[in-house]
Amino acid sequence: HLHAEDAVRLHGETMPSTVGDKRMFTFHAPVGTWGIITPWNFPLLMLAEFVAPGLATGNAHVVKPPANTPLTVLTAMEAFVAAGLPEGLVNIVAGEGATGDALVRHPGVDAIGFIGSSATGTKIQAAAGLKRSIMECSGNGPLVVLADADLDAAAKAAVYGAYLCSGQVCCATERVVVHQDVHSAFVEAVLRAADDVVLGDPFDAKVNLGPLNNEGVAAKMDRHMADARERGAKILRGGHRRADQPTDLYYEFTVVDEVPVDSLLSREESFGPVVPILTGGNDDELLRIANDDKLGLQGAVFTQNMTAAFRFVEEMAVGQVIVNDSTCFWDINMPFGGAGNRGTGWGRIGGKHTLLGMSDLRTGVFSI
């Protein structure tokens, strides 16, 4: 409903001309048919994040749902039909990567909307060529804890961002960068907060950490943990799969301290239930470590100093900086997306910004 409301306010403007007998104005027009490729972690939400603004701006859609969680999207299509959506405006084509590649290359597809990994996003963009695109790709934190931070609040936020959806969120707690003066106290607070994490059946009301979605994600966690051990990081909690579960995808909630900057836990998006802790000696070093990364989606900073908060908001190389809350904070009106010069994509998803991205800004010029 928010996109429907914003669509009626998607207005152009009248501009003065340097030529006296000319009148110029702008308006928004549909792009055409969008090829939409969505991930498996939020299959319904991310379908709606493209289709709702796309419909509101007059576009048609061909959607390739995630191969691991396609039934949610197919059920949503049944709801579209029941609601009376005109035939052809939303079309579902299920399949694996080859289906997505064919969709991206198809001459009848005018633009591409993608949410997923940076590796897949790179392949999509190479195939799409000059087609219009909105790309929301991988994230890697960070959550920065300054010396004056509320450590209990920061620890709870870090833990929450690691167990939410089993850490399978693009803005999860991928890296925690802590001031050395409060490092020990923060680690203790993280371990206390981790005591509240319960791994098990996600349909059990007492459980807040379920299994990973697929073997690829679990194997990546295994690789990251093996690399951390080899590099001398301290595994304070978890670090392995739990045996005797219905599947082999139940991963223990994991806390790792003294994480080297060049380790896989620091350099790559783990996409699992892990809190990797790095340390810096002062605010300059904390900011440098936070920005020493090829990705740049969303970060957070904990501090009670407004000047320091504004500095990190303005200088952290991510699309959004959350102050004194989890990196997983999200609001439907946020213009969500990555920072420039990073491997996280471009365009914004949320509020009016997706409407703008999914429409053409055009200009009319009249002679009087």
Side-chain angles (χ1 to χ4, degrees):
H1 70 282
L2 292 176
H3 288 303
E5 293 175 358
D6 281 336
V8 300
R9 303 181 183 90
L10 198 63
H11 54 76
E13 60 180 335
T14 301
M15 301 165 294
S17 171
T18 57
V19 180
D21 66 346
K22 302 294 184 184
R23 298 294 183 267
M24 301 189 301
F25 67 95
T26 62
F27 63 98
H28 295 270
V31 174
T33 299
W34 282 76
I36 305 298
I37 300 176
T38 56
W40 46 259
N41 53 349
F42 294 95
L44 179 59
L45 171 65
M46 293 177 179
L47 167 73
E49 283 184 325
F50 278 120
V51 169
L55 289 173
T57 48
N59 295 285
H61 310 77
V62 180
V63 180
K64 193 203 85 65
N68 290 339
T69 54
L71 297 183
T72 303
V73 176
L74 293 172
T75 302
M77 189 65 209
E78 295 176 2
F80 291 151
V81 172
L85 181 72
E87 185 176 348
L89 287 182
V90 179
N91 310 273
I92 309 297
V93 181
E96 301 282 349
T99 303
D101 184 71
L103 175 64
V104 169
R105 297 177 186 274
H106 197 284
V109 171
D110 303 300
I112 305 298
F114 172 73
I115 302 175
S117 73
S118 296
T120 301
T122 300
K123 295 177 182 178
I124 288 174
Q125 196 57 44
L130 294 178
K131 290 182 180 181
R132 176 82 55 85
S133 64
I134 297 175
M135 308 289 288
E136 188 216 296
C137 302
S138 302
N140 196 23
L143 186 151
V144 180
V145 182
L146 303 191
D148 67 337
D150 180 332
L151 299 183
D152 284 331
K156 289 177 182 177
V159 169
Y160 169 76
Y163 75 70
L164 177 67
C165 296
S166 304
Q168 300 166 123
V169 185
C170 59
C171 52
T173 305
E174 293 288 348
R175 295 177 295 150
V176 181
V177 189
V178 185
H179 195 289
Q180 66 180 13
D181 291 352
V182 296
H183 167 263
S184 296
F186 176 77
V187 170
E188 293 174 2
V190 167
L191 294 176
R192 288 195 300 271
D195 290 337
D196 294 330
V197 179
V198 180
L199 174 63
D201 181 355
F203 291 102
D204 185 335
K206 298 187 295 294
V207 168
N208 53 15
L209 176 62
L212 297 171
N213 177 270
N214 58 75
E215 175 57 30
V217 176
K220 187 176 186 180
M221 277 291 297
D222 289 341
R223 290 195 302 273
H224 284 199
M225 294 311 304
D227 177 76
R229 292 185 181 94
E230 183 177 328
R231 293 175 183 272
K234 293 184 177 180
I235 301 173
L236 305 180
R237 187 73 59 90
H240 54 83
R241 307 187 197 206
R242 179 179 290 184
D244 301 322
Q245 295 298 306
T247 73
D248 196 29
L249 300 178
Y250 287 76
Y251 220 96
E252 297 283 1
F253 188 79
T254 300
V255 179
V256 186
D257 194 18
E258 299 184 18
V259 172
V261 174
D262 60 351
S263 67
L264 294 180
L265 279 176
S266 175
R267 289 298 186 196
E268 296 184 1
E269 182 182 45
S270 296
F271 227 59
V274 57
V275 179
I277 301 173
L278 298 84
T279 306
N282 53 52
D283 287 4
D284 290 340
E285 187 176 5
L286 295 176
L287 184 61
R288 180 187 61 77
I289 294 172
N291 287 342
D292 184 18
D293 185 70
K294 62 184 178 181
L295 303 176
L297 185 56
Q298 180 153 298
V301 60
F302 275 80
T303 179
Q304 300 180 55
N305 184 297
M306 190 65 72
T307 301
F310 265 98
R311 180 192 180 192
F312 276 80
V313 165
E314 294 175 353
E315 297 184 22
M316 197 182 296
V318 295
Q320 304 77 225
V321 177
I322 313 302
V323 179
N324 293 332
D325 205 343
S326 165
T327 54
C328 278
F329 176 82
W330 175 83
D331 188 284
I332 195 170
N333 281 319
M334 288 173 65
F336 191 84
N341 197 31
R342 300 280 155 163
T344 307
W346 46 82
R348 289 294 182 265
I349 296 176
K352 70 176 183 180
H353 303 280
T354 318
L355 294 163
L356 293 169
M358 297 187 77
S359 61
D360 267 337
L361 180 62
R362 298 186 182 180
T363 302
V365 181
F366 280 77
S367 299
I368 58 172

